[in-house]
Amino acid sequence: MSRVKKSLKNAKVGVFFFIASIFVQFFSRKLFLDNLGDEFIGLETTLRSVLGFLNLAELGIGTAIGFTLYKPIFDENHSEINKIIALLGVLYKRIGYFIIGIGIIVSLFFPLIFNDTSFTLVLIYFVFYTLLSSTLLSYFVNYHQSLLGADQKGYIIQGYFQTLNIVRVILQAFVAIYLKDFYIYIILELIFSIIYSIVVRQKIKKEYPWLIINSTGKAEIIKEYPDIIKKIKQVFVHKMGSFVKNGTDNILVFALVSLESVAFFGNYQLIFTKLGGLVKMAFAGTGSAVGNLIAEDNQQNIKKVFWELMAVQFFIAGFFGLIIYFTMEPFIMLWLGEDYILAKTTLLLMVVNFFIFQISSTVERFKNAYGLYSDTWAAATEAILNLAISLICGSFWGIDGIILGTLVSLILMVVIWKPYFLYKNGFKKSVWLYWQGVLPLGIVFCVSAFVVSFIAQYFVYDRESSNFLNWIVYASIITTIVTITYGTLMFIFIKGFKVFAYRMKDLITKKISR
C-alpha cells in the first residue's frame, strides 16, 4: 500500500475504535466517581502520574529505534530490522529492571506522601504495584510492536487494544457499581494488559514470520549502534521535558491544591486527552509515513506534504478548540454535575494549550523523522521553565497557575524554537519561510474565532432546562457555525488545505466508483 493508503487505514481503524472507547470511558467516569469516590479516583490518577515519571527511564528508546527503522523498512532489509529489534529488546529489559528498582525505592516514601488520605497503605501499595506490573509488560514482552508503528501497520493491533480496553472499562464499571471493590477494580487492569501482550505477540508472528521474536541478542550488540545510543541520550532529555510539560500537572495539583482537585482537574483533562488521542488516531501512521518520505529524499514532495499537514492540523486545532470552549461547561454539568465545573479561565488556558500542542505536532513529526534530537538544551529549558512557573504561579492561583507554566514554556520552546531548529537542520532553509506560511493560518483562525464568537452569542445555552438533548442541539449549532466559518475561510485562503480537500475528494470518489 502507498503511504497515503496506509495512513488512511490506520486513521479509519484507530478513529472508529477510539470513538467507541471514548463513549464507554465518559459514561464510566461518572460511575467511578459516584461509586468509588473522588478521593480514590484522585489517588489512582496521582499514582499513574508517578508511574509516568518512572517511565522516563525508557529514555526515548522507542522513539530513537522508530527513527532508525525507517530506512531498513524502506529497503526491506530484514537482517538489519532483526538486529535493531534485538537491540531494542536488550535495552528495554535493562530499563525494565531499572524501573522495578526505582519503583520500590519511591514506594518506600508512600507513608509520608499519602499520610493525609483515608486509604490504607495496603490498598495504596496494591494499586501502585499492579499498575507498575501492567506497565512492565511493554518492556519485557510486547516491545516488538515498535516495528508495526514504524511500518505504518499500527492498525493491525489497534482494534484489539481498543476492544480489550472497552471490555475492561465495562467490567470495572460493573465492579464499581455492584461490588465497590477497589482491589478487583485495579486487578482488571493487569489482567487485560496480559491478554493484550499475548495478542500482540501472535499478530507480530503472523505479520513478520521472518522476525526473531525471542532474540538471543546480548549486550554486545549495543556497541554496534553507537549512533542509536547517542540518539537515545538526546531523546531522553526531550522525554524529560515532555513529562514535566504533560505529566506533572496532576502531581502539582495534588501538592498545591488537594487530592480531590486532582479528580476535578482530571475530568477536564480526560476530555482533552481523549480528544488529543482522537486526533492522534486520525493521523495514525503519518509519523512513519513522513519518515518514509524523508528516506525517499524528494524535497519538493517533502515541502508539499509539510504544508498540507500544517493546514489540516491548524484546522483541527481551531475546530475542536472553538467547539470545546463553547460546549465544555454545559457538558460537564450534565455529565458529572454543576459542582465539577472549573473556572472559565481554567478552561480557556486548557484550550490554548491544546491548540498550541496540535498546531506544533507537524513540526514535531518532521523533526523526529529527520532524527533532530540534539537540541537537548531546549528540552531542559522547557522543563525548567514549566516547573518553575507552575510552582510559583500555582502557589498563588492554584490550577490556573499550574497550567500557565505549561503555556509559557510551550510558546517559548515549541512555537518559537522548534520550527527554527527544523528549518535550519532539517529543511536547510530560512525559518522565515515557515512564518510566512503560518501567518495566513493564524489570521484565518483569529478571524474565524471572532466571527464564531459573534454569532454564538445569539445561541445562549439555557442551563435551567438543561438535558442531553438540548446539549446535543446546542453543540450541533456551534459545530455547524465553526465548520462553515472556519472551513470556508481555510478553503478559500489556504492552499495546503484546499489541496488536501481535493485529495480526499479524489480518494472518496475512486472508492465509491469501485
mmCIF file of all heavy atoms in Angstrom, residues 293-312:
data_model
loop_
_atom_site.group_PDB
_atom_site.id
_atom_site.type_symbol
_atom_site.label_atom_id
_atom_site.label_comp_id
_atom_site.label_asym_id
_atom_site.label_seq_id
_atom_site.Cartn_x
_atom_site.Cartn_y
_atom_site.Cartn_z
ATOM 1 N N LEU A 293 8.960 9.213 3.753
ATOM 2 C CA LEU A 293 9.109 10.311 2.793
ATOM 3 C C LEU A 293 10.513 10.922 2.881
ATOM 4 O O LEU A 293 11.139 11.212 1.849
ATOM 5 C CB LEU A 293 8.052 11.389 3.087
ATOM 6 C CG LEU A 293 8.051 12.647 2.221
ATOM 7 C CD1 LEU A 293 7.642 12.303 0.794
ATOM 8 C CD2 LEU A 293 7.106 13.699 2.806
ATOM 9 N N ILE A 294 10.997 11.107 4.106
ATOM 10 C CA ILE A 294 12.346 11.652 4.297
ATOM 11 C C ILE A 294 13.393 10.695 3.729
ATOM 12 O O ILE A 294 14.375 11.114 3.109
ATOM 13 C CB ILE A 294 12.620 11.919 5.794
ATOM 14 C CG1 ILE A 294 11.619 12.941 6.364
ATOM 15 C CG2 ILE A 294 14.044 12.413 5.995
ATOM 16 C CD1 ILE A 294 11.620 14.279 5.718
ATOM 17 N N ALA A 295 13.164 9.392 3.945
ATOM 18 C CA ALA A 295 14.101 8.393 3.414
ATOM 19 C C ALA A 295 14.145 8.438 1.890
ATOM 20 O O ALA A 295 15.175 8.189 1.272
ATOM 21 C CB ALA A 295 13.700 6.996 3.893
ATOM 22 N N GLU A 296 13.016 8.784 1.273
ATOM 23 C CA GLU A 296 12.929 8.895 -0.190
ATOM 24 C C GLU A 296 13.670 10.129 -0.697
ATOM 25 O O GLU A 296 14.134 10.181 -1.832
ATOM 26 C CB GLU A 296 11.450 8.968 -0.587
ATOM 27 C CG GLU A 296 11.166 8.818 -2.048
ATOM 28 C CD GLU A 296 9.660 8.880 -2.321
ATOM 29 O OE1 GLU A 296 9.124 10.002 -2.452
ATOM 30 O OE2 GLU A 296 9.028 7.820 -2.367
ATOM 31 N N ASP A 297 13.745 11.176 0.136
ATOM 32 C CA ASP A 297 14.524 12.402 -0.130
ATOM 33 C C ASP A 297 14.061 13.158 -1.373
ATOM 34 O O ASP A 297 14.870 13.596 -2.184
ATOM 35 C CB ASP A 297 16.011 12.069 -0.241
ATOM 36 C CG ASP A 297 16.883 13.318 -0.094
ATOM 37 O OD1 ASP A 297 16.438 14.271 0.568
ATOM 38 O OD2 ASP A 297 17.987 13.340 -0.671
ATOM 39 N N ASN A 298 12.747 13.348 -1.501
ATOM 40 C CA ASN A 298 12.188 14.176 -2.577
ATOM 41 C C ASN A 298 11.806 15.518 -1.959
ATOM 42 O O ASN A 298 10.756 15.653 -1.331
ATOM 43 C CB ASN A 298 10.968 13.497 -3.200
ATOM 44 C CG ASN A 298 10.403 14.262 -4.394
ATOM 45 O OD1 ASN A 298 10.448 15.487 -4.441
ATOM 46 N ND2 ASN A 298 9.871 13.528 -5.355
ATOM 47 N N GLN A 299 12.666 16.536 -2.122
ATOM 48 C CA GLN A 299 12.498 17.811 -1.418
ATOM 49 C C GLN A 299 11.191 18.513 -1.762
ATOM 50 O O GLN A 299 10.537 19.096 -0.896
ATOM 51 C CB GLN A 299 13.676 18.740 -1.731
ATOM 52 C CG GLN A 299 15.004 18.243 -1.187
ATOM 53 C CD GLN A 299 14.969 18.082 0.328
ATOM 54 O OE1 GLN A 299 14.444 18.930 1.052
ATOM 55 N NE2 GLN A 299 15.520 16.972 0.810
ATOM 56 N N GLN A 300 10.797 18.456 -3.021
ATOM 57 C CA GLN A 300 9.558 19.114 -3.438
ATOM 58 C C GLN A 300 8.352 18.452 -2.780
ATOM 59 O O GLN A 300 7.428 19.124 -2.314
ATOM 60 C CB GLN A 300 9.420 19.065 -4.961
ATOM 61 C CG GLN A 300 8.209 19.849 -5.482
ATOM 62 C CD GLN A 300 8.166 19.877 -7.006
ATOM 63 O OE1 GLN A 300 9.071 19.385 -7.670
ATOM 64 N NE2 GLN A 300 7.110 20.461 -7.548
ATOM 65 N N ASN A 301 8.383 17.123 -2.731
ATOM 66 C CA ASN A 301 7.282 16.387 -2.121
ATOM 67 C C ASN A 301 7.249 16.599 -0.609
ATOM 68 O O ASN A 301 6.183 16.686 0.004
ATOM 69 C CB ASN A 301 7.426 14.893 -2.437
ATOM 70 C CG ASN A 301 6.081 14.176 -2.425
ATOM 71 O OD1 ASN A 301 5.034 14.806 -2.537
ATOM 72 N ND2 ASN A 301 6.122 12.866 -2.293
ATOM 73 N N ILE A 302 8.433 16.687 0.003
ATOM 74 C CA ILE A 302 8.522 16.935 1.444
ATOM 75 C C ILE A 302 7.867 18.269 1.799
ATOM 76 O O ILE A 302 7.085 18.371 2.745
ATOM 77 C CB ILE A 302 10.000 16.922 1.900
ATOM 78 C CG1 ILE A 302 10.561 15.501 1.846
ATOM 79 C CG2 ILE A 302 10.142 17.495 3.314
ATOM 80 C CD1 ILE A 302 12.046 15.413 2.088
ATOM 81 N N LYS A 303 8.183 19.312 1.041
ATOM 82 C CA LYS A 303 7.608 20.642 1.280
ATOM 83 C C LYS A 303 6.090 20.623 1.102
ATOM 84 O O LYS A 303 5.345 21.184 1.924
ATOM 85 C CB LYS A 303 8.230 21.644 0.308
ATOM 86 C CG LYS A 303 7.656 23.049 0.429
ATOM 87 C CD LYS A 303 8.261 23.976 -0.618
ATOM 88 C CE LYS A 303 7.607 25.360 -0.543
ATOM 89 N NZ LYS A 303 8.154 26.269 -1.587
ATOM 90 N N LYS A 304 5.622 19.938 0.068
ATOM 91 C CA LYS A 304 4.188 19.866 -0.208
ATOM 92 C C LYS A 304 3.436 19.173 0.926
ATOM 93 O O LYS A 304 2.412 19.679 1.418
ATOM 94 C CB LYS A 304 3.966 19.119 -1.524
ATOM 95 C CG LYS A 304 2.509 18.937 -1.904
ATOM 96 C CD LYS A 304 2.399 18.109 -3.179
ATOM 97 C CE LYS A 304 0.943 17.816 -3.516
ATOM 98 N NZ LYS A 304 0.820 16.927 -4.699
ATOM 99 N N VAL A 305 3.959 18.032 1.355
ATOM 100 C CA VAL A 305 3.306 17.274 2.426
ATOM 101 C C VAL A 305 3.336 18.048 3.741
ATOM 102 O O VAL A 305 2.354 18.054 4.499
ATOM 103 C CB VAL A 305 3.987 15.901 2.593
ATOM 104 C CG1 VAL A 305 3.456 15.180 3.827
ATOM 105 C CG2 VAL A 305 3.769 15.042 1.355
ATOM 106 N N PHE A 306 4.446 18.728 4.017
ATOM 107 C CA PHE A 306 4.559 19.505 5.252
ATOM 108 C C PHE A 306 3.456 20.540 5.360
ATOM 109 O O PHE A 306 2.784 20.646 6.395
ATOM 110 C CB PHE A 306 5.933 20.190 5.310
ATOM 111 C CG PHE A 306 6.120 21.075 6.517
ATOM 112 C CD1 PHE A 306 6.446 20.527 7.744
ATOM 113 C CD2 PHE A 306 5.948 22.451 6.425
ATOM 114 C CE1 PHE A 306 6.612 21.342 8.861
ATOM 115 C CE2 PHE A 306 6.109 23.272 7.535
ATOM 116 C CZ PHE A 306 6.444 22.710 8.760
ATOM 117 N N TRP A 307 3.226 21.314 4.301
ATOM 118 C CA TRP A 307 2.232 22.380 4.377
ATOM 119 C C TRP A 307 0.803 21.863 4.300
ATOM 120 O O TRP A 307 -0.120 22.485 4.832
ATOM 121 C CB TRP A 307 2.508 23.441 3.313
ATOM 122 C CG TRP A 307 3.667 24.298 3.700
ATOM 123 C CD1 TRP A 307 4.905 24.342 3.143
ATOM 124 C CD2 TRP A 307 3.690 25.213 4.814
ATOM 125 N NE1 TRP A 307 5.706 25.221 3.820
ATOM 126 C CE2 TRP A 307 4.997 25.777 4.850
ATOM 127 C CE3 TRP A 307 2.767 25.609 5.771
ATOM 128 C CZ2 TRP A 307 5.369 26.705 5.810
ATOM 129 C CZ3 TRP A 307 3.142 26.539 6.722
ATOM 130 C CH2 TRP A 307 4.417 27.075 6.737
ATOM 131 N N GLU A 308 0.613 20.708 3.686
ATOM 132 C CA GLU A 308 -0.714 20.083 3.741
ATOM 133 C C GLU A 308 -1.036 19.684 5.171
ATOM 134 O O GLU A 308 -2.133 19.960 5.682
ATOM 135 C CB GLU A 308 -0.755 18.849 2.834
ATOM 136 C CG GLU A 308 -1.009 19.151 1.369
ATOM 137 C CD GLU A 308 -1.229 17.881 0.573
ATOM 138 O OE1 GLU A 308 -1.984 17.012 1.047
ATOM 139 O OE2 GLU A 308 -0.644 17.762 -0.516
ATOM 140 N N LEU A 309 -0.077 19.021 5.833
ATOM 141 C CA LEU A 309 -0.292 18.590 7.215
ATOM 142 C C LEU A 309 -0.437 19.785 8.149
ATOM 143 O O LEU A 309 -1.249 19.760 9.084
ATOM 144 C CB LEU A 309 0.868 17.702 7.671
ATOM 145 C CG LEU A 309 0.922 16.296 7.070
ATOM 146 C CD1 LEU A 309 2.179 15.563 7.514
ATOM 147 C CD2 LEU A 309 -0.312 15.491 7.465
ATOM 148 N N MET A 310 0.339 20.851 7.918
ATOM 149 C CA MET A 310 0.221 22.049 8.734
ATOM 150 C C MET A 310 -1.182 22.635 8.640
ATOM 151 O O MET A 310 -1.784 23.016 9.656
ATOM 152 C CB MET A 310 1.249 23.095 8.296
ATOM 153 C CG MET A 310 2.649 22.901 8.855
ATOM 154 S SD MET A 310 2.755 23.116 10.661
ATOM 155 C CE MET A 310 2.267 24.843 10.824
ATOM 156 N N ALA A 311 -1.700 22.721 7.417
ATOM 157 C CA ALA A 311 -3.033 23.295 7.207
ATOM 158 C C ALA A 311 -4.109 22.455 7.885
ATOM 159 O O ALA A 311 -5.001 22.986 8.570
ATOM 160 C CB ALA A 311 -3.307 23.418 5.708
ATOM 161 N N VAL A 312 -4.024 21.137 7.705
ATOM 162 C CA VAL A 312 -5.029 20.249 8.294
ATOM 163 C C VAL A 312 -4.951 20.278 9.812
ATOM 164 O O VAL A 312 -5.979 20.329 10.498
ATOM 165 C CB VAL A 312 -4.841 18.807 7.767
ATOM 166 C CG1 VAL A 312 -5.803 17.858 8.469
ATOM 167 C CG2 VAL A 312 -5.060 18.759 6.268
#
